[in-house]
Amino acid sequence: DTAVSQTPKYLVTQMGNDKSIKCEQNLGHDTMYWYKQDSKKFLKIMFSYNNKELIINETVPNRFSPKSPDKAHLNLHINSLELGDSAVYFCASSQGLGNTEAFFGQGTRLTVV
Amino acid sequence: DQQVKQNSPSLSVQEGRISILNCDYTNSMFDYFLWYKKYPAEGPTFLISISSIKDKNEDGRFTVFLNKSAKHLSLHIVPSQPGDSAVYFCAVRVGGSARQLTFGSGTQLTVLP
């Protein structure tokens, strides 16, 4: 009965590979997000997505792409992985874009070797 | 270009005493200020927020203070309990159509029994 769940929890992969992280929310929210927690521990927004629009943070490389098959899912695809992509990635959802109360998944620790 | 700064990476407090976590921000355009709490191996969870038109908001043991002239936000926890030990993230929301949350780097609070 987890509200926001993401899989896998840990992901170790080689440079140059393509990988996906899945996210599902059962809260009925209309907006989902992907955040990246970097080595300095800042949580930085990568994407905001609801059924109307996708907002991309301009600093995110186009190797990263969100895919939403339906309102309850927002998966993150990463092509040609680089060492600098190693981080913890958090999925989140909220009712309404930019709602102050967002619900986060437990995170996926991605390690690129 | 860090818009939100939490200058203390860690804080230790004795159980029963007051914990004060601080946050500084740079932009006067934020409309909401928030605190999120994060336990290990979990995603951040919303704790408390304050609108830019207020200077204090209280919820049980947690009180958030906003000093707009100093561009400073603080979270007071009274009395502190061992279960409060976690990483606390300060966050701000930009108003307008974008309405995204920007987080600080977090402060690790340890409440000693």
Side-chain angles (χ1 to χ4, degrees):
Chain A
D1 62 342
T2 304
V4 181
S5 60
Q6 47 185 114
T7 54
K9 194 171 181 179
Y10 300 97
L11 181 55
V12 181
T13 188
Q14 289 188 322
M15 280 175 53
N17 284 350
D18 303 337
K19 289 293 178 185
S20 295
I21 306 173
K22 295 186 176 181
C23 180
E24 176 182 5
Q25 54 96 4
N26 63 8
L27 298 166
H29 288 163
D30 62 1
T31 306
M32 296 184 73
Y33 313 85
W34 277 104
Y35 284 84
K36 176 181 180 180
Q37 186 175 30
D38 61 22
S39 57
K40 295 183 179 179
K41 304 301 181 187
F42 285 95
L43 268 169
K44 295 181 179 176
I45 184 122
M46 301 177 71
F47 305 101
S48 302
Y49 185 82
N50 65 14
N51 55 5
K52 297 175 185 175
E53 62 182 326
L54 170 66
I55 301 173
I56 304 171
N57 185 318
E58 67 263 13
T59 65
V60 175
N62 58 14
R63 297 181 295 103
F64 290 78
S65 58
K67 297 280 194 315
S68 179
D70 55 58
K71 265 178 59 171
H73 296 83
L74 184 67
N75 303 323
L76 181 65
H77 295 268
I78 317 169
N79 294 326
S80 303
L81 276 155
E82 300 177 357
L83 293 176
D85 298 333
S86 297
V88 182
Y89 293 84
F90 288 95
C91 175
S93 73
S94 68
Q95 185 55 36
L97 181 65
N99 189 312
T100 56
E101 187 171 359
F103 292 77
F104 283 79
Q106 83 276 21
T108 295
R109 181 174 293 278
L110 171 66
T111 304
V112 182
V113 297
Chain B
D1 65 338
Q2 296 166 15
Q3 300 184 72
V4 182
K5 293 182 183 179
Q6 293 179 256
N7 292 317
S8 298
S10 63
L11 173 69
S12 291
V13 170
Q14 209 66 37
E15 181 179 5
R17 299 287 187 105
I18 183 171
S19 295
I20 300 177
L21 297 114
N22 295 302
C23 177
D24 296 304
Y25 61 94
T26 58
N27 190 327
S28 299
M29 300 302 292
F30 301 131
D31 67 347
Y32 267 91
F33 303 83
L34 315 118
W35 287 95
Y36 275 71
K37 176 178 172 179
K38 183 184 179 304
Y39 291 116
E42 295 183 12
T45 55
F46 172 78
L47 185 58
I48 191 169
S49 67
I50 185 169
S51 163
S52 61
I53 63 173
K54 296 186 176 181
D55 53 22
K56 177 182 174 181
N57 187 27
E58 192 172 348
D59 182 3
R61 296 186 297 113
F62 302 90
T63 303
V64 57
F65 294 92
L66 177 62
N67 183 334
K68 288 185 285 292
S69 61
K71 294 190 174 68
H72 182 80
L73 182 73
S74 64
L75 175 69
H76 292 209
I77 307 173
V78 183
S80 301
Q81 299 174 354
D84 297 329
S85 297
V87 176
Y88 289 79
F89 288 96
C90 168
V92 298
R93 190 180 81 173
V94 177
S97 59
R99 308 219 307 169
Q100 69 180 37
L101 302 184
T102 299
F103 288 80
S105 55
T107 297
Q108 170 70 56
L109 172 66
T110 303
V111 180
L112 305 167

